[in-house]
């Protein structure tokens, strides 16, 4: 690979990282302002009350659904960069990097599924309230309750980062521990299915929400890390691509 | 930062066997405290919410609490305290050149004792299920199963960590980084212990 290509891949990776704030800002705006989903409809509401929320906000939710669907892919590029950087740590056969990446593709599917149901419900909000209630809970279970994939993804990142034995590690070690914490923390969402009220139900000031926000900020943190990695030498990653590492 | 640790930083005996125990140092790698403090923070939020909910319906919580087996809770407290002590002793052994060979067996012993927690917890859960009590029985039991379940998950992770530490402790010439890693893993286990010491009175004893 020639030096021009080296610059090109470093530049591309920086562009990829900068997609992440686009995702968080657009998703946040659509979710909070467009659909008014913060706080989400309380799980203990009756079918009629939940259906009423969907009918009242149908127009806003439709636009929000459209934006959610459109910006979903913007979360992906940073995980590609993560994949490349993890391969620098692991070398030619990179099980953790592949595990992280495959879990990331499922993560985006979870966002897509929620967006599809949101659009579908907002399209015909005047159907039987029981149907609205059931589909409404599917949205929140999808966004909050699917934790196994996130657990594996963050665990893969954490273990890979902490296994980096080089004297000057690619990621700072504290970042590995932070990933571990996020991995453990997202598990809190697992219990959403058991609660109709309280901290672990899908509404209220829930810890999972906090965590998602923190995980988002963390992604920004990653932008900094990658910035350093760029300057320190993409030469290692080029070696990788030739299959010599 | 961890790369710059000296042997004295992690409390290894100097050649003349003289170590100043008052020497200031943050146990483990500094980064692990993000995980420990973050985890404690999450549990603290849960504890506060539990207490607030309890304050709203004290009769229900008090009545349901009577179904808990305090003996099993107390046994598990002893199990974790003993296991924590063994890890602390193992770290001491690892730091001293003279007793280093004891570090690995002590850590395995800590894991062995610690695994008793899982057995006792399984008996406790079995008791509840046999009596027809599940997480959806009432609000108290939802919190009971959530808090103890999350904690049990931490115990299982901690046991895996202890097994890794026991392997690290087998090294005859551990580096400063090895010792810092051991300290960090040990701190995680102490945190698991600490959490139980809060959960036990909170769920089982508070009237």
């Amino acid at each position: 690979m020639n030096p021009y290509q080296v610059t090109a891949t470093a530049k591309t990776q920086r562009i990829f990282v900068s997609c992440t704030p686009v995702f968080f800002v657009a998703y946040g705006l659509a979710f909070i302002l467009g659909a008014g989903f913060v706080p989400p409809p309380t799980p203990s509401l009756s079918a009629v009350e939940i259906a009423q929320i969907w009918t009242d906000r149908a127009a806003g939710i439709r636009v929000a659904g459209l934006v959610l669907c459109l910006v979903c892919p913007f979360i992906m590029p940073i995980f590609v960069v993560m994949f490349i950087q993890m391969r620098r740590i692991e070398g030619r056969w990179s099980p953790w990097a592949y595990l992280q990446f495959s879990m990331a593709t499922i993560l985006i599917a979870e966002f897509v599924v929620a967006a599809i149901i949101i659009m579908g419900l907002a399209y015909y909000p005047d159907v039987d309230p029981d149907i609205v209630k059931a589909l409404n809970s599917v949205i929140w279970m999808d966004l909050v309750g699917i934790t196994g994939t996130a657990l594996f993804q963050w665990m893969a990142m954490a273990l890979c980062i902490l296994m980096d034995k080089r004297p000057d590690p690619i990621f700072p070690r504290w970042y590995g521990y932070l990933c571990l914490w996020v991995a453990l923390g997202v598990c809190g969402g697992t219990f959403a299915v058991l609660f109709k009220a309280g901290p672990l139900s899908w509404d209220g000031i829930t810890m999972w929400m906090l965590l998602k926000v923190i995980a988002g900020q963390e992604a920004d943190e990653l932008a900094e890390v990658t910035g350093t990695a760029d300057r320190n030498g993409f030469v290692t990653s080029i070696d990788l691509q030739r299959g010599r590492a | 930062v961890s790369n710059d640790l000296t042997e004295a930083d992690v409390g290894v005996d100097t050649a003349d066997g003289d170590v100043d125990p008052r020497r200031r140092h943050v146990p483990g790698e500094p980064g692990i405290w993000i995980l420990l403090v973050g985890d404690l923070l999450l549990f603290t939020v849960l504890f506060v919410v539990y207490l607030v909910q309890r304050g709203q319906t004290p009769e229900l919580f008090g009545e349901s609490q009577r179904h808990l087996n305090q003996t099993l809770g107390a046994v598990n407290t002893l199990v974790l305290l003993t296991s924590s002590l063994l890890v602390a002793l193992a770290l001491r052994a690892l730091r001293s050149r003279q007793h280093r060979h004891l570090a690995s067996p002590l850590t395995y012993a800590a894991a062995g004792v610690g695994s008793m927690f899982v057995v006792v917890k399984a008996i406790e859960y079995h008791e509840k299920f046999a009596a027809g009590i599940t997480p959806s029985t009432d609000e108290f039991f939802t919190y009971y199963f959530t808090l103890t379940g999350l904690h049990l998950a931490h115990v299982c992770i901690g046991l895996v960590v202890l097994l890794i530490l026991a392997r690290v402790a087998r090294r005859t010439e551990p580096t400063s980084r090895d010792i810092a890693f051991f300290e960090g893993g040990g701190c995680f286990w102490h945190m698991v212990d600490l959490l139980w010491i809060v959960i036990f009175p909170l769920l089982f004893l508070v009237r």
Side-chain angles (χ1 to χ4, degrees), chain B residues 40 43 47 151 154 191-200:
Chain B
L40 286 173
F43 270 95
F47 295 155
H151 179 259
H154 277 76
M191 181 198 70
V192 171
D193 190 2
L194 176 67
L195 283 174
W196 179 251
I197 287 172
V198 181
I199 292 174
F200 175 53

Side-chain angles (χ1 to χ4, degrees), chain A residues 31 37 54 61 64-65 68 113-123 139:
Chain A
F31 209 74
F37 278 155
W54 281 85
I61 297 178
L68 296 186
V113 167
I116 292 169
I117 303 173
I118 287 172
M119 286 197 291
L121 258 181
Y123 193 65
I139 295 170

